[in-house]
């Protein structure tokens, strides 16, 4: 089954409300959708998003790399030889992990269809469904507490709270306001998005521990490059620390694990370059006794569906942060994962489970060429 065409399609999806973190404010999600068609008429789908402040990728760079660099390497190649395709893509250009992830998703989608299995089953089939958290954007303590309560009222029992802006007291007030509002029965994980210095992080985390706030974990408290600082925070606090922006590849995972710099790893396909590398990261973590979470950037249900399939396939992936499609203003009805409150359910269709006719209609409705 050979690849006949590789197409890129640009779409835009508005958010229900601005999404605010320590790194950026997002009002809409722009995505490059990749459509790979084989000579047998099968269609594989993938998505790449431009998260400039994390991956360095832009809409222009993603489209150029897929159209001008990857497509000539893919057309005419057989889907059966997946490792050949992945190696061609990996060796063609350094970085550009979002573009690589889109191709990787589409190839996995096609192979799942060829095998007649949902991708989650093909990769391991450990879970039949998932349960995601819901993210609370950075804001004033009263606003964040109100938003947190709204999510809890909708059935979410795990909240991912964005912090990393403001001074020590402001951060503490935000977290206390949320805990007091939602009560002790709700799981709270913090994401500082590199917003603190190591000593600031240690001081704040220790204070929160003394306050009895009861946090599940804290994600990327310090700058991505400061792995030594990350290790210091991990060593000098009791709350589990998770790497996000510090982790792109299996090589990064090897370094973090070797230094015992963190307690948990957050895998995102836009950083890893796709499912193939993500599986390597998870395997390394499992061997070292470290659990993983699978998250996403601000993506549509296309990229998040691929992330969900890998998350559900492996026992060592114990947490997911895959609420991005719930933040979008419109509904996605072209297949893939389905949300029922915090629960995510998989299509029984093969591959990623997308309906290509409805997918093309959705792309047409959201096109922004």
């Amino acid at each position: 089954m050979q690849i006949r065409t590789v197409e890129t399609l640009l779409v835009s999806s508005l958010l229900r409300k601005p999404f605010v973190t320590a790194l950026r404010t997002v009002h809409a999600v722009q995505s490059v959708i990749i459509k790979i068609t084989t000579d047998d008429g099968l269609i594989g789908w993938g998505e790449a998003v431009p998260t400039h402040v994390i991956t360095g990728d832009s809409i222009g760079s993603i489209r150029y790399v897929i159209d001008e660099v990857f497509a000539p390497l893919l057309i005419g190649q057989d889907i059966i030889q997946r490792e050949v395709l992945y190696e061609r893509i990996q060796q063609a250009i350094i970085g550009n992990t979002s573009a690589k992830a889109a191709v990787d998703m589409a190839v996995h989608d096609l192979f799942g269809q060829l095998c007649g299995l949902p991708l989650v089953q093909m990769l391991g089939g450990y879970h039949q469904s998932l349960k995601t958290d819901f993210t609370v954007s950075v804001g004033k303590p009263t606003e964040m507490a109100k938003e947190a309560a709204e999510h809890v009222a909708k059935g979410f029992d795990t909240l991912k709270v964005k912090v990393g802006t403001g001074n020590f007291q402001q951060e503490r007030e935000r977290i206390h306001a949320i805990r007091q509002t939602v009560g002790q029965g709700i799981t709270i994980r913090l994401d500082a998005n590199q917003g603190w210095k190591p000593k600031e992080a240690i001081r704040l985390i220790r204070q929160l521990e003394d306050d009895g706030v009861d946090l599940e974990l804290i994600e990327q408290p310090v700058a991505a490059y400061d792995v030594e600082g990350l290790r210091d925070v991990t060593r000098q606090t009791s709350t589990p620390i998770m790497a996000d922006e510090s982790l792109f590849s299996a090589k990064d995972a090897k370094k973090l694990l070797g230094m015992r710099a963190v307690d948990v790893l957050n895998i995102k396909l836009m950083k890893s370059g796709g499912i193939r590398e993500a599986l390597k990261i998870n395997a390394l973590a499992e061997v070292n006794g470290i659990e993983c979470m699978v998250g996403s950037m601000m993506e549509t249900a296309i990229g998040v569906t691929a992330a969900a399939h890998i998350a559900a396939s492996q026992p060592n992936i114990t947490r997911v942060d895959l609420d991005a499609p719930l933040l979008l203003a419109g509904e996605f009805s072209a297949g893939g994962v389905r949300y029922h409150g915090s629960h995510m359910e998989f299509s029984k269709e093969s591959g990623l489970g997308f309906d290509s006719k409805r997918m093309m209609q959705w792309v047409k409705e959201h096109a922004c060429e």
Side-chain angles (χ1 to χ4, degrees), residues 120-169:
V120 62
Q121 301 298 331
M122 195 180 77
L123 295 177
Y126 190 76
H127 296 289
Q128 299 304 308
S129 63
L130 294 172
K131 191 175 181 182
T132 184
D133 59 15
F134 207 104
T135 305
V136 178
S137 292
V138 172
K140 296 179 180 178
T142 53
E143 295 171 347
M144 295 178 72
K146 180 182 177 182
E147 183 181 347
E150 291 172 352
H151 299 327
V152 170
K154 295 176 182 177
F156 291 88
D157 59 15
T158 301
L159 300 174
K160 179 176 178 178
V161 178
K162 293 290 187 178
V163 289
T165 66
N167 59 38
F168 178 96
Q169 190 57 33

Side-chain angles (χ1 to χ4, degrees), residues 93-369:
I93 192 168
I94 62 171
N96 292 276
T97 53
S98 298
K100 290 175 180 177
V103 172
D104 174 283
M105 289 177 205
V107 171
H108 274 92
D109 186 14
L110 285 168
F111 194 73
Q113 292 177 56
L114 180 62
C115 295
L117 288 171
L119 188 60
V120 62
Q121 301 298 331
M122 195 180 77
L123 295 177
Y126 190 76
H127 296 289
Q128 299 304 308
S129 63
L130 294 172
K131 191 175 181 182
T132 184
D133 59 15
F134 207 104
T135 305
V136 178
S137 292
V138 172
K140 296 179 180 178
T142 53
E143 295 171 347
M144 295 178 72
K146 180 182 177 182
E147 183 181 347
E150 291 172 352
H151 299 327
V152 170
K154 295 176 182 177
F156 291 88
D157 59 15
T158 301
L159 300 174
K160 179 176 178 178
V161 178
K162 293 290 187 178
V163 289
T165 66
N167 59 38
F168 178 96
Q169 190 57 33
Q170 289 172 324
E171 296 281 49
R172 192 178 174 201
E173 288 175 0
R174 288 166 175 155
I175 299 160
H176 274 278
I178 292 173
R179 175 55 79 197
Q180 290 167 6
T181 299
V182 302
Q184 291 298 125
I186 300 301
T187 299
I188 297 177
R189 53 184 63 143
L190 302 185
D191 184 3
N193 284 119
Q194 310 177 63
W196 301 329
K197 301 294 184 183
K199 289 184 178 180
E200 294 172 339
I202 293 167
R203 179 186 174 214
L204 178 56
I205 296 167
R206 283 179 172 176
Q207 183 62 64
L208 293 171
E209 290 169 351
D210 290 342
D211 293 343
V213 175
D214 187 23
L215 300 173
E216 180 202 22
L217 58 82
I218 298 173
E219 182 176 349
Q220 198 65 46
V222 303
Y225 65 83
D226 191 2
V227 179
E228 290 79 9
L230 194 60
R231 179 187 59 192
D232 290 343
V233 176
T234 300
R235 286 180 175 178
Q236 297 183 50
T237 58
S238 298
T239 305
I241 305 299
M242 180 167 68
D244 180 8
E245 289 93 342
S246 293
L247 173 67
F248 275 63
S249 66
K251 289 182 179 179
D252 293 335
K254 182 180 179 181
K255 180 177 181 180
L256 289 164
L257 295 166
M259 293 176 62
R260 303 192 69 82
V262 291
D263 303 295
V264 187
L265 297 180
N266 188 3
I267 301 170
K268 294 178 179 175
L269 298 184
M270 293 300 124
K271 293 184 300 155
S272 70
I275 293 167
R276 179 186 185 234
E277 189 75 6
L279 289 170
K280 292 181 181 180
I281 294 170
N282 179 63
L284 274 173
E286 187 170 18
V287 167
N288 283 271
I290 296 294
E291 295 178 354
C292 292
M293 180 167 89
V294 165
S296 73
M297 305 300 188
M298 291 303 295
E299 303 167 27
T300 75
I302 300 170
V304 169
T305 290
H309 275 264
I310 181 178
S313 74
Q314 304 295 311
N316 193 57
I317 297 173
T318 56
R319 305 166 176 86
V320 299
D321 171 35
L322 296 174
D323 62 334
L326 299 176
L327 305 178
L328 301 178
E331 297 294 329
F332 183 85
S333 59
V337 293
R338 284 282 178 268
Y339 290 87
H340 301 281
S342 62
H343 293 274
M344 304 173 69
E345 295 182 355
F346 294 90
S347 165
K348 295 182 180 180
E349 300 299 321
S350 60
L352 292 174
F354 297 123
D355 182 310
S356 290
K357 182 178 290 187
R358 286 191 290 156
M359 182 76 85
M360 286 307 301
Q361 181 60 36
W362 181 85
V363 168
K364 182 178 179 181
E365 292 170 355
H366 291 79
C368 59
E369 297 289 352

